[in-house]
Amino acid sequence: MSLKEHLYELRYRLGLAMLVIAVGAIFGFIWFQVRLGPIPSLGDILTGPYCQPDLAQYRAKITNDGTCALLQTEPFEIFLVQLQVGTAAGAVLLSPLWLYQIWAFITPGLYQKERKFARMFVSAGALLFVAGAVLAYLVVPQGLKVLLGFGGDNWVTALTGSKYINFVITMLFIFGVSFLLPLVVVMLNRAGVLSYERLSKWRRGLLMGLFVFAAIATPGTDPISMVVLALALSVLFEMAIQISRVHDKRKAKLRAAEGLDELDDDEAAPFHYVASDADGNDPGEKAIASEPSKRVNYDDAT
């Protein structure tokens, strides 16, 4: 494809992705106040941690029947919150569709092995992000209980909708992104940038850095959120280190089998080149196999 054709293809893929996100935003905007059968509305899901019975003693009764509610202090505040949250929720729910458009534009330039690793890391990243967001949702009520309990009986809380929902979404985002850090370590190890030996030497410093990162990253500044995030990241980082250990051990066995560790510094390593197309196939393999006289010995090439 020419550069012009690539630009047309990029425009087409981006247009489809934006259309999918727009449809998701409309769906999320409606879902914010509407239940989907047994699934509660998006607004009920977000206010769930704040409206738990354990926090009833800290909340101000701002409604006649004493039900849990958030404050709106500015005109159109709830409209803007509903629009922002609905757009984010719709983009997340329909992410497989718009991410596929990006994948369809990139994948023609990747080999089969590269596609395999890309699918593995993207799938693992999605699962880790969701796991971090779910953990944050479970931690938010405990963090609120600690934060709202500082005032004792002299204070009551009536949170505004925009500030509370921004707090919850920030917690979900930070936990989700933080859970991707161990995946980055595995990727760097696969690329040969970080070895297991180096990671094992840095283990204590990494654990200390994780607790410092958790203390800075958590927006609630409560000890529960910080400790839970730090412990979860410590477990994930230890898993990443062990995965790196297995990979480096397997890599060392392959090097020993090929005799690469026995080569002198001035001796060239064996080089076996096999041409392949984007699907990982060798288009000239059959032709070369049928004509042995045309086979090239790259070890003897100068």
Side-chain angles (χ1 to χ4, degrees):
M1 296 176 63
S2 64
L3 177 60
K4 184 178 181 180
E5 291 172 334
H6 275 295
L7 293 177
Y8 282 147
E9 176 70 11
L10 178 61
R11 185 183 64 177
Y12 173 72
R13 295 297 179 182
L14 289 179
L16 289 179
M18 293 177 63
L19 179 61
V20 170
I21 293 176
V23 173
I26 296 174
F27 170 78
F29 185 85
I30 298 174
W31 181 32
F32 191 89
Q33 295 184 355
V34 178
R35 294 177 60 92
L36 303 177
I39 303 176
S41 65
L42 186 58
D44 292 337
I45 294 176
L46 291 176
T47 57
Y50 176 65
C51 294
Q52 289 194 359
D54 295 342
L55 299 178
Q57 57 180 328
Y58 306 115
R59 295 194 303 263
K61 297 181 179 179
I62 59 177
T63 59
N64 294 329
D65 56 358
T67 56
C68 178
L70 297 171
L71 287 176
Q72 180 178 215
T73 59
E74 298 177 1
F76 302 108
E77 179 180 359
I78 185 60
F79 174 80
L80 295 177
V81 170
Q82 184 174 345
L83 181 62
Q84 294 172 359
V85 175
T87 302
V92 171
L93 291 176
L94 299 184
S95 58
L97 297 179
W98 58 265
L99 285 175
Y100 171 77
Q101 303 302 325
I102 301 177
W103 175 259
F105 179 76
I106 297 175
T107 188
L110 301 178
Y111 288 100
Q112 184 65 25
K113 186 176 181 180
E114 295 170 340
R115 296 179 188 178
K116 177 183 176 182
F117 280 112
R119 284 193 293 264
M120 290 174 55
F121 282 116
V122 170
S123 301
L127 292 176
L128 287 173
F129 185 90
V130 172
V134 171
L135 180 62
Y137 186 81
L138 298 176
V139 170
V140 166
Q142 304 303 323
L144 285 176
K145 189 175 182 180
V146 173
L147 294 175
L148 300 182
F150 280 117
D153 297 333
N154 298 324
W155 295 81
V156 292
T157 302
L159 298 178
T160 60
S162 59
K163 291 185 178 180
Y164 166 76
I165 291 180
N166 287 336
F167 167 75
V168 174
I169 292 180
T170 302
M171 285 283 291
L172 298 179
F173 180 77
I174 289 178
F175 270 66
V177 173
S178 299
F179 271 44
L180 299 179
L181 296 179
L183 183 62
V184 176
V185 174
V186 175
M187 293 175 63
L188 292 177
N189 175 257
R190 291 277 180 173
V193 178
L194 285 177
S195 63
Y196 166 73
E197 182 180 1
R198 184 176 300 179
L199 289 173
S200 60
K201 291 180 180 180
W202 293 351
R203 181 181 277 109
R204 294 183 179 179
L206 287 174
L207 293 178
M208 182 62 186
L210 291 177
F211 277 85
V212 174
F213 169 79
I216 298 175
T218 48
T221 65
D222 60 285
I224 295 180
S225 301
M226 180 196 73
V227 173
V228 170
L229 179 59
L231 292 178
L233 288 180
S234 299
V235 174
L236 291 176
F237 261 89
E238 184 61 31
M239 293 176 60
I241 292 175
Q242 295 305 318
I243 293 175
S244 301
R245 180 181 67 84
V246 174
H247 174 260
D248 287 358
K249 187 176 180 180
R250 185 181 304 170
K251 186 177 180 180
K253 289 183 179 180
L254 292 176
R255 289 178 58 87
E258 295 179 1
L260 298 179
D261 295 331
E262 300 176 359
L263 295 176
D264 296 332
D265 294 338
D266 298 332
E267 186 177 357
F271 178 65
H272 304 283
Y273 175 76
V274 179
S276 61
D277 56 15
D279 295 328
N281 302 319
D282 182 5
E285 183 176 358
K286 295 182 179 179
I288 295 177
S290 61
E291 301 180 15
S293 60
K294 294 185 179 181
R295 187 180 297 275
V296 179
N297 187 351
Y298 288 93
D299 295 339
D300 299 334
T302 58

